[in-house]
Every structure is written in structure tokens, then in C-alpha cells.
Amino acid sequence: MIEIQGHRGVLATHHGNTLASFVEALTLGVDAIEVDIWLTSDRQLALRHDAVVNGRDIRDGRLREAAVEMLPEAVHRIGAEARTPTLEELLALMRFAGADDVILDIEVKTDRAKGREYSHSIVWWLANILRVHESGQALRVRSFDPLVIKAMGEEIPSVPRVALCRYPVVPDPGLYPSDTYALIEAALAAGAEAVAPEVNLLDEKLVAQAHAAGLKVYPWTLVTAEQIANAVSLGVDGVCVNDVALARATFADLGQEVPVPRPISLPMLR
């Protein structure tokens, strides 16, 4: 079965990394929800894609000061959410929804400007939370940084890890390379179980070589039915999408199995 992974929930219709977006993903039906985490100064794992919003760096502030990231800008409804949610709040939502088998695919966000100390801290705090929840929730961790993937494997080896890569505007030797052979070699060396290439890097060679090496392939971010259909034809193991409804419709047209919807409602988000 090929996974449908909701990118930051359902980015096509909701602001990403918000409780409303996660509820929508579960209601439509997904196999996994991809989220981004940053570590705040008061040691909270906040769910947001960008570190800096409105001139404030989430890593230097406290959780209560962490503004919700209003992306995409085309979405206007944000409901009652005054700040970015935490990973623990999302875990509580998953328990409330009875969605323990829906994978939380957690991207660990890092930044060279903050140095390795920040990377070590976020890995340590994340591993401690995941140890509490690993028996009751399907989990997965992803990162562009091989050192983060390796460190997560040392801290909590039972949680699968994914090597993220993109086509580099400026080459960075500290991140996963975009070349197929080098990516697979680096992913295996760091202990990853899968690779997640940017969609423009996806081709038959990458899928074939990754599978031959025992790695799964989860391309991101697929935004059109054509991209989704092409990925399915190449034999990927999952697709990370903005539009979950589109992915489900495309899968149905292709005769692919789709995940079960889990309609839920949170009073605060009505």
C-alpha cells in the first residue's frame, strides 16, 4: 500500500502545522501527517515550518509568544488558534481521534547559524517525548541533516528515520546530497530506512536504486494529479501532498487503496 502523507496537515485548505489542519487531514483520511518542529527557549517542541515569523525567532522565544504561521497566504480562516501548537498537543489530538496507527512523520528543523548545540538539544528533547509515546502512536522522524538522523537512531532506534533531500541552490556538504548514489550511500550510513527526495529529483533510477538498497521512497511535495500518478507509476512507497482530497481521488482513479477517514470535531475549532 502506498501512503498518503498530509503535508503539514492539509496545506491546500488550511494553514500548515495547525490543529485545524491536522483535524482536516484525519477527517479526510491519511496514512501519515508530516509536521515540522522547532525547540523554543522554554523547551517546548513547537509545530511550525519557519523559525522566524513577524521578525520573531521561535527558538529564542517562549511558546506563548510563538505566532501561528499563516501559510499558505490564500487561506484566511484560522479559527481560535492564537499560537503554534506543540508536538504533545498533536499527540493528544491523535489519542482523542483514535488515530494511533496514523504515522506522525516529524521533520526535525535545524539551522547552522544556531550551531550543533541547538541540534543536540532538539534531538534530546524529541527523543524523550517519543520514548513516552512510541508504544501508543505510530511515529517516524525525518531530516535534511545526516547527523540528526544518526543521533535519533542512537537515542531511539525503534523509530524509523527518513533522509530528506532537495536540489541545492547552494551546495551544502552538511546536508543530504541530491545525487542518487550519494544520497543512498549517505542515508544508509546514517541509519535511515527511507529517502524523501524533492519531487523534481524523483525518477525511475532513484526509486529502483533505493529499493535495491532496502530503502523506501517518499517524494515531496506533490501538488498535481499528474505528479501523484507519476510517482505511483514509479513504485514509490508514499506521497507527501498538500491536497489530501486530490491525492485520494487520484489514488481511487488508479485503483489504489486509500486510507480510512476519521471524522472528528474539536469544539474550539468549529
Side-chain angles (χ1 to χ4, degrees):
M1 179 177 173
I2 301 174
E3 290 181 14
I4 293 179
Q5 304 165 353
H7 182 218
R8 304 187 222 169
V10 184
L11 207 57
T13 57
H14 290 69
H15 293 301
N17 288 314
T18 58
L19 293 177
S21 190
F22 304 142
V23 167
E24 180 69 2
L26 293 171
T27 298
L28 290 171
V30 292
D31 297 295
I33 296 176
E34 186 269 351
V35 301
D36 308 287
I37 62 165
W38 292 101
L39 183 67
T40 63
S41 65
D42 53 352
R43 299 296 183 260
Q44 299 293 314
L45 291 175
L47 306 181
R48 203 170 75 187
H49 183 267
D50 292 346
V52 180
V53 170
N54 299 329
R56 291 194 173 192
D57 193 323
I58 198 169
R59 297 162 294 185
D60 298 330
R62 291 168 292 182
L63 177 67
R64 69 183 184 186
E65 302 163 348
V68 173
E69 183 176 74
M70 295 188 182
L71 289 175
E73 293 180 356
V75 174
H76 300 294
R77 182 171 63 82
I78 196 165
E81 297 179 73
R83 61 158 174 80
T84 185
T86 66
L87 179 60
E88 289 187 301
E89 288 169 336
L90 175 53
L91 286 160
L93 171 64
M94 302 301 279
R95 289 195 300 274
F96 175 81
D100 59 317
D101 57 330
V102 174
I103 301 165
L104 287 189
D105 203 334
I106 303 161
E107 181 180 343
V108 182
K109 307 291 281 188
T110 57
D111 185 342
R112 291 302 172 78
K114 287 292 182 180
R116 281 294 161 195
E117 183 179 352
Y118 173 83
S119 298
H120 291 317
S121 294
I122 194 171
V123 165
W124 190 87
W125 283 99
L126 175 59
N128 276 282
I129 289 177
L130 297 190
R131 285 190 191 98
V132 175
H133 295 278
E134 64 174 324
S135 63
Q137 177 66 53
L139 300 165
R140 192 159 58 211
V141 173
R142 57 175 57 196
S143 178
F144 287 97
D145 189 335
L147 294 181
V148 167
I149 293 298
K150 184 175 181 180
M152 285 302 305
E154 292 169 351
E155 289 282 351
I156 185 164
S158 58
V159 175
R161 298 166 301 284
V162 182
L164 277 164
C165 75
R166 59 160 59 97
Y167 186 81
V169 177
V170 178
D172 188 332
L175 303 182
Y176 279 109
S178 58
D179 173 75
T180 294
Y181 177 78
L183 168 62
I184 292 171
E185 189 176 53
L188 292 172
E193 287 88 356
V195 294
E198 190 174 11
V199 65
N200 61 343
L201 295 174
L202 181 67
D203 58 24
E204 185 176 1
K205 174 186 173 184
L206 189 155
V207 176
Q209 292 194 8
H211 283 170
L215 297 169
K216 293 183 178 180
V217 181
Y218 303 129
W220 61 277
T221 300
L222 285 60
V223 297
T224 68
E226 290 75 19
Q227 287 178 330
I228 295 168
N230 179 60
V232 170
S233 72
L234 292 176
V236 300
D237 302 279
V239 291
C240 188
V241 299
N242 289 341
D243 193 332
V244 171
L246 175 65
R248 290 178 61 89
T250 305
F251 270 40
D253 289 343
L254 296 171
Q256 295 289 324
E257 188 176 349
V258 295
V260 177
R262 301 168 190 268
I264 62 171
S265 175
L266 294 182
M268 65 173 283
L269 299 177
R270 287 176 183 168

